[in-house]
């Protein structure tokens, strides 16, 4: 199963409801990726709980919130309450990642854990059963439009091997520099959920860009076509 999650970080913040509709519809976005930054964990400030709450009312497409913030143990549950269907926290910022993942799940959302490029996956092998998704950052978190880090491909492969080793139904997401030039390599390495910002919202037809990226990833991964059932 291949999923394409357009990042609204690359959308027009003054027209978020309309921007959400531009990538949805038949064979459109599987999820909308919402980058939450606090200007502390990363050197950028984006949006927070009130915007997520408003966006969840404006679209039927589920929201995939990526929290690049300090103290996610305190704030992550509020994003579930605001309407997020998936909430991803950074393990580098979490005080108690297992407890936090369980709380996110208990509130009814999918629990994701993100790793910065320099953070290895191996120390967290025992945590994998507590998660629904693992996010391997393929750029340094904080800004959109960065170039894809090729050195992350071996890490994606190792992560997929650990997931398969334990027989888990765990989504493997990549975020950063995903485009027509990189999506196939990520899929071949084992990723199945792709966050794309400028590659989608910078296109003349964002919905067509979503379909094209999905088709490329599906072909590279050798999986049948069709959008995901959330």
């Amino acid at each position: 199963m291949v999923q394409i999650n357009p990042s609204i970080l690359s959308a027009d913040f003054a027209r978020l409801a309309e921007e959400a509709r531009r990538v949805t519809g038949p064979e459109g976005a599987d999820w909308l990726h919402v980058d939450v930054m606090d200007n502390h964990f990363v050197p950028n400030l984006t949006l927070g709980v009130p915007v997520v709450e408003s966006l969840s009312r404006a679209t039927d497409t589920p929201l995939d919130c990526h929290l690049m913030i300090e103290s996610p143990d305190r704030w992550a549950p509020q994003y579930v309450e605001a309407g997020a269907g998936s909430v991803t926290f950074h393990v580098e910022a979490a005080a108690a990642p297992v407890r936090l993942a369980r709380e996110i799940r208990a509130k009814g959302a999918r629990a994701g854990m993100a790793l910065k490029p320099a953070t290895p996956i191996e120390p967290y092998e025992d945590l994998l059963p507590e998660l629904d998704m693992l996010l391997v950052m393929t750029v340094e978190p904080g800004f959109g439009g960065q170039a894809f880090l090729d050195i992350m491909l071996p890490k994606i492969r190792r992560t997929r091997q650990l997931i398969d080793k334990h027989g888990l139904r765990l989504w493997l997401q990549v975020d950063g520099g995903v485009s027509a030039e990189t999506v196939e390599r990520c899929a071949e390495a084992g990723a199945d959920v792709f966050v794309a910002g400028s590659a989608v919202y910078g296109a003349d037809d964002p919905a067509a860009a979503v379909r094209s990226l999905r088709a490329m990833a599906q072909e590279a991964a050798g999986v049948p076509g069709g959008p995901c059932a959330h």
Side-chain angles (χ1 to χ4, degrees), residues 33 35 37 41-42 66 68 88 90 92 113-119 134-143 146 148-149 151-153 155-156 172-177 195:
H33 189 81
D35 291 298
M37 306 182 194
F41 182 70
V42 293
H66 175 195
M68 289 168 273
T88 298
H90 268 267
E92 302 91 352
M113 187 175 78
L115 306 175
K116 287 183 175 183
T119 302
L134 194 70
L135 167 54
V136 174
M137 291 297 299
T138 44
V139 298
E140 290 293 340
F143 293 92
Q146 296 183 63
F148 179 81
L149 295 174
I151 57 172
M152 290 298 101
L153 291 170
K155 181 177 176 180
I156 297 169
L172 178 51
Q173 185 178 70
V174 290
D175 181 2
V195 177

Side-chain angles (χ1 to χ4, degrees), residues 42 47 65 92 101-103 105 123-124 130 139 144 160 183 222:
V42 293
L47 44 80
C65 286
E92 302 91 352
R102 290 179 177 179
E103 185 174 3
R105 281 175 153 183
Y124 304 104
E130 302 288 341
V139 298
R160 172 53 63 190
V183 68

Side-chain angles (χ1 to χ4, degrees), residues 119-135:
T119 302
I121 178 58
E122 288 78 8
Y124 304 104
E125 180 177 354
D126 291 343
L127 275 66
L128 297 183
E130 302 288 341
L131 304 169
D132 298 296
M133 184 169 71
L134 194 70
L135 167 54

